[in-house]
Amino acid sequence: MKTARRLENLGTETAFRVAQAAADWKGAGNRVYPFHLGDLNFPMAGHIVEAMDKAIKDGKTGYCPGPGIPELRAALAEDIGTRRGMRIDPSEVIVTTGGKPVITKFLQAVMDPGEGVLYPNPGFPIYESQIEYLGGTALPYRYVPTADGFAIDLDHLRASIDENTTAIIYNDLQNPISAESTDAEREAIAAIAQEFDLWVLSDEAYFEMRYKGRSKSIAALDGMRERTVILYTFSKKFAMTGSRLGCAVASRQIAEAISTMNTNDESCTTHYVQWAGIAALQGPQAPVGQMLEVLRKRRDATCSIINSIPGMSVAVPGSTFYVFPDVTEAMESKGITSLADFSTEALHNTGVSFCTREHFGRRQGWEDRQYIRLAYSGIGEADITEGLGQLRDWITQG
């Protein structure tokens, strides 16, 4: 029987395919060092688990309001607003089943078929997937390497805008490349959005996953509040990836639209998980700091070893839990021309499993360097040292 043609435009989060290849290799009796998936191998804090259990025991297992329970919406408004220097009303907060649905619902709210949406490339692959699935035109904007990591090519971004462009997806503290905007870059994006009257999705999944300094939100800049939707998630900061809890912060016009979509799509976000979210926001924050300290040590170990491998180099990122090293010369030294082949050969010869640039949006014609992404969120420091040591030995064998 026939299926809908739109399915041809639906991509996926291809990191899960790498995970399957790693699982198959491990299942065959081989050692695997898992750098491929951005999940966290930290347990949810005890007070969050207790709050969820209590909510279940208290009978909070049925339907609840589609936009979220009032207590969580109020807690989110207070926490998100305080950390960004904004005043947010609880009515502007719509609870969702994780951060990812905010991408789809933002696009459904602001983009008609045929309209263009700018998105980062390399970037989270669901941006590209959902723009095209919903009938939009995906407009990739690029990053250029700098001594400190990567910066948005603002001239290229501006040149990509035409009369049909309606929105821009902006992921400060970016997955996969860990790029963080300077104040000047953030202000330039805001100016472009206002000049061309664009909606903005500010994906702030990693807003508090940083090792120094303080994050800033584009939504807090003058003229940006009404045109910006903030994507917030509990997954990273509170190690709640499987709990599926997040929210959109938006003007009431967009908030009401997303609330209606919630009712149509999921009815509501799991009731008892929302009470766990309140405990996460209002309870002890020490577990967050402890997790970040462990991640910082993993980052340092990862970057130190990568930069000791001939033909590989990476800037030390100040946020997220990813690195995006240039491996161009390392591949050449092994006589490998395909990133897919490099990934497979590395897995089979060293046990190190990672994603490549090809997993984060379609490769563009302007790209002439080769990159891989290593996530250190789910692998301990000892295994980082051992696994990347194996990778170094393999590379240096020539």
Side-chain angles (χ1 to χ4, degrees):
M1 296 179 67
K2 184 183 79 70
T3 58
R5 282 193 294 271
R6 73 172 69 91
L7 293 176
E8 297 171 5
N9 295 324
L10 189 62
T12 187
E13 194 168 346
T14 50
F16 290 106
R17 294 177 182 168
V18 181
Q20 185 60 55
D24 291 344
W25 187 245
K26 184 176 181 180
N30 301 292
R31 180 69 184 275
V32 170
Y33 301 94
F35 288 92
H36 50 272
L37 199 57
D39 203 355
L40 292 149
N41 64 343
F42 299 84
M44 278 198 300
H47 67 280
I48 302 175
V49 175
E50 290 169 6
M52 191 181 299
D53 288 346
K54 183 178 185 302
I56 293 172
K57 291 174 182 176
D58 289 346
K60 299 200 167 49
T61 56
Y63 289 125
C64 61
I69 60 174
E71 295 88 345
L72 179 57
R73 297 174 77 189
L76 282 163
E78 173 65 23
D79 187 83
I80 294 172
T82 298
R83 295 180 187 278
R84 290 159 180 76
M86 302 166 59
R87 291 192 62 184
I88 298 173
D89 190 88
S91 66
E92 298 171 313
V93 176
I94 305 298
V95 177
T96 54
T97 54
K100 191 180 291 184
V102 178
I103 301 169
T104 303
K105 292 174 183 179
F106 166 81
L107 292 170
Q108 288 176 306
V110 307
M111 183 196 78
D112 283 320
E115 292 183 332
V117 176
L118 295 152
Y119 71 101
N121 190 334
F124 188 48
I126 302 305
Y127 304 147
E128 185 179 84
S129 170
Q130 286 299 299
I131 293 167
E132 296 184 341
Y133 178 67
L134 295 169
T137 301
L139 304 173
Y141 61 86
R142 68 189 179 195
Y143 286 78
V144 293
T146 73
D148 298 320
F150 295 89
I152 296 172
D153 186 336
L154 293 169
D155 291 336
H156 175 263
L157 186 153
R158 176 181 285 273
S160 300
I161 300 171
D162 62 24
E163 66 276 5
N164 288 320
T165 308
T166 190
I168 177 172
I169 297 174
Y170 173 59
N171 182 201
D172 202 353
L173 286 70
Q174 206 251 36
N175 172 22
I177 64 178
S178 294
E180 179 179 357
S181 287
T182 61
D183 288 346
E185 183 176 87
R186 190 178 302 106
E187 289 164 4
I189 296 293
I192 289 171
Q194 292 178 66
E195 178 183 350
F196 292 96
D197 195 26
L198 303 178
W199 290 100
V200 177
L201 174 63
S202 184
D203 185 342
E204 300 182 5
Y206 299 91
F207 192 83
E208 291 164 70
M209 303 303 295
R210 59 179 311 122
Y211 307 105
K212 62 180 180 179
R214 187 171 183 174
S215 297
K216 299 179 182 179
S217 174
I218 195 171
L221 296 178
D222 289 345
M224 293 302 294
R225 178 68 183 278
E226 287 300 308
R227 69 176 64 250
T228 303
V229 175
I230 295 173
L231 182 159
Y232 177 93
T233 178
F234 287 79
S235 293
K236 315 305 181 185
K237 178 181 178 181
F238 298 112
M240 294 176 65
T241 52
S243 298
R244 310 314 305 141
L245 185 63
C247 79
V249 178
S251 65
R252 294 193 183 185
Q253 175 191 12
I254 301 299
E256 289 174 1
I258 293 176
S259 177
T260 301
M261 292 178 208
N262 279 5
T263 302
N264 277 264
D265 291 348
E266 304 94 19
S267 294
C268 58
T269 301
T270 305
H271 193 175
Y272 52 84
V273 172
Q274 295 189 53
W275 288 97
I278 295 170
L281 293 168
Q282 297 181 344
Q285 299 301 297
V288 178
Q290 293 162 1
M291 180 173 67
L292 284 170
E293 179 57 23
V294 172
L295 288 171
R296 183 188 65 77
K297 292 178 180 178
R298 294 180 184 179
R299 176 205 63 177
D300 292 346
T302 300
C303 291
S304 176
I305 299 173
I306 287 173
N307 284 322
S308 75
I309 299 175
M312 294 178 64
S313 62
V314 68
V316 180
S319 61
T320 79
F321 37 70
Y322 308 110
V323 293
F324 200 69
D326 187 323
V327 298
T328 307
E329 281 75 31
M331 288 177 58
E332 290 174 355
S333 74
K334 302 296 291 183
I336 299 173
T337 58
S338 158
L339 276 169
D341 290 344
F342 185 64
S343 175
T344 300
E345 289 295 315
L347 176 64
H348 292 175
N349 285 278
T350 73
V352 175
S353 175
F354 52 77
C355 294
T356 74
R357 184 269 172 266
E358 314 292 10
H359 295 99
F360 299 98
R362 293 189 192 92
R363 191 178 186 91
Q364 302 298 311
W366 59 73
E367 299 181 50
D368 60 0
R369 305 294 293 179
Q370 307 285 3
Y371 295 91
I372 62 174
R373 190 201 74 170
L374 303 174
Y376 50 86
S377 52
I379 180 171
E381 191 175 349
D383 282 348
I384 288 172
T385 301
E386 184 175 302
L388 293 183
Q390 300 263 28
L391 184 67
R392 179 173 54 203
D393 292 345
W394 175 63
I395 295 293
T396 55
Q397 287 170 3

